[in-house]
């Protein structure tokens, strides 16, 4: 059974610092991995999707890497801003088409 | 970017009542899903639906739950007799295909069972 873990559970940084969020998964037989942003009481906004054949994806200040063999992904957010404060979720998609989510990292960027 | 639309955004109901949560997936998508998130917990898979039938369901998705695509645009989740522990945010999602295709999520329905 796929298990997804995100460390740390919470992170507080001053504005301008780079953020590093970690995600690990137990079964490397995945189709892809998605990173989401969730604001309190709100829905899931997809940030980046990395296919199993890819090593990384970039969008603006966001960069996500994937090491499938070791079961790890890292989301980097450069030059953090207070508007980046949110919970970041990773989810892996495996056989059967369902996503398995991690517990999230709650990020606070202090001005 | 096209969106998955969910209504209502909030639903309050009494224990034992039936609720129907509604979703309009992206128009050319063929796979539909429901997920839920109990406050403070992980987002959990409930069910996937393709070609007018359930393709996979989790152990949470018991006989109290059902899904339907009553017409060409809506996808609904029915909870027959709600329990307190059904209180959660329910997310609908859709994808163009299975496999490696990206899932697009709606903004959720917050269900409160009193």
């Amino acid at each position: 059974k796929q298990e997804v873990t995100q460390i740390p559970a919470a992170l507080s940084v001053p504005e301008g610092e780079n953020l590093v969020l970690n995600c690990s998964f137990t079964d490397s037989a995945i189709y892809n991995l998605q990173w989401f942003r969730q604001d309190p009481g709100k829905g899931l906004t997809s940030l980046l999707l990395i296919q199993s054949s890819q090593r990384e994806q970039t969008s603006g200040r966001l960069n996500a890497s994937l090491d499938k063999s070791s079961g790890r992904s890292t989301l980097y957010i450069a030059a953090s801003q207070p508007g980046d404060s949110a919970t970041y979720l990773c989810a892996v998609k495996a056989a059967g088409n369902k996503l398995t989510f991690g517990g999230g990292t709650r990020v606070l960027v202090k001005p | 970017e096209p969106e998955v639309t969910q209504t209502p955004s909030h639903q309050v109901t009494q224990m034992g009542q039936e609720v129907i949560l509604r979703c309009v997936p992206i128009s050319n998508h063929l796979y539909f899903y429901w997920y839920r998130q109990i406050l403070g917990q992980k987002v959990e898979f409930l069910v996937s639906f393709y070609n007018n039938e359930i393709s996979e369901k989790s152990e949470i998705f018991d006989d109290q739950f059902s899904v339907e695509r009553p017409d060409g645009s809506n996808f609904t989740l029915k909870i027959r007799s709600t329990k307190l522990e059904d209180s959660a945010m329910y997310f609908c999602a859709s994808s163009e295909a299975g496999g490696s295709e990206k899932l697009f999520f709606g903004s959720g329905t917050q269900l409160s069972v009193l």
Side-chain angles (χ1 to χ4, degrees):
Chain A
K1 182 186 169 190
Q2 180 75 267
E3 296 284 343
V4 180
T5 304
Q6 291 186 247
I7 293 173
L11 187 58
S12 180
V13 299
E15 183 177 2
E17 196 164 294
N18 296 332
L19 287 163
V20 181
L21 309 180
N22 296 300
C23 172
S24 62
F25 47 95
T26 54
D27 185 349
S28 62
I30 64 170
Y31 287 127
N32 58 44
L33 183 145
Q34 244 176 300
W35 282 94
F36 294 89
R37 171 184 171 136
Q38 185 177 33
D39 292 286
K42 302 292 184 185
L44 305 174
T45 301
S46 181
L47 298 173
L48 290 167
L49 171 75
I50 313 176
Q51 299 294 352
S52 63
S53 58
Q54 296 175 319
R55 298 282 295 183
E56 66 176 340
Q57 277 288 331
T58 298
S59 176
R61 294 184 295 114
L62 305 180
N63 175 275
S65 65
L66 174 64
D67 184 343
K68 203 172 72 147
S69 60
S70 68
R72 294 177 195 272
S73 177
T74 302
L75 177 66
Y76 302 90
I77 304 177
S80 61
Q81 303 166 359
D84 295 329
S85 298
T87 297
Y88 292 83
L89 303 174
C90 74
V92 297
K93 193 176 190 211
N97 290 321
K98 69 179 185 186
L99 286 177
T100 302
F101 281 81
T105 295
R106 194 170 64 252
V107 170
L108 176 64
V109 180
K110 295 177 287 189
Chain B
E1 188 169 74
E3 287 185 342
V4 175
T5 306
Q6 288 188 245
T7 55
S9 56
H10 292 85
Q11 173 100 44
V12 180
T13 190
Q14 296 290 325
M15 190 169 57
Q17 295 296 303
E18 174 184 288
V19 294
I20 298 176
L21 308 183
R22 302 180 192 278
C23 171
V24 179
I26 295 171
S27 62
N28 63 330
H29 285 189
L30 300 177
Y31 288 76
F32 314 112
Y33 312 85
W34 285 101
Y35 287 78
R36 78 172 186 189
Q37 185 179 33
I38 295 170
L39 186 64
Q41 297 187 22
K42 290 184 179 184
V43 177
E44 305 171 286
F45 168 78
L46 292 178
V47 66
S48 60
F49 190 85
Y50 168 71
N51 200 26
N52 276 323
E53 59 183 28
I54 291 174
S55 49
E56 188 177 358
K57 60 182 181 179
S58 71
E59 27 190 63
I60 304 167
F61 195 89
D62 61 22
D63 292 345
Q64 293 298 312
F65 292 89
S66 62
V67 289
E68 193 178 33
R69 187 152 163 84
D71 52 43
S73 59
N74 291 283
F75 180 51
T76 61
L77 174 68
K78 183 194 290 186
I79 308 175
R80 222 176 311 279
S81 176
T82 50
K83 308 185 192 83
L84 296 175
E85 54 265 36
D86 294 327
S87 295
M89 178 76 94
Y90 287 81
F91 294 109
C92 174
S94 69
S95 63
E96 195 169 344
S100 60
E101 286 296 315
K102 179 178 172 180
L103 266 68
F104 292 80
F105 280 79
S107 54
T109 293
Q110 180 65 56
L111 176 65
S112 298
V113 182
L114 306 178

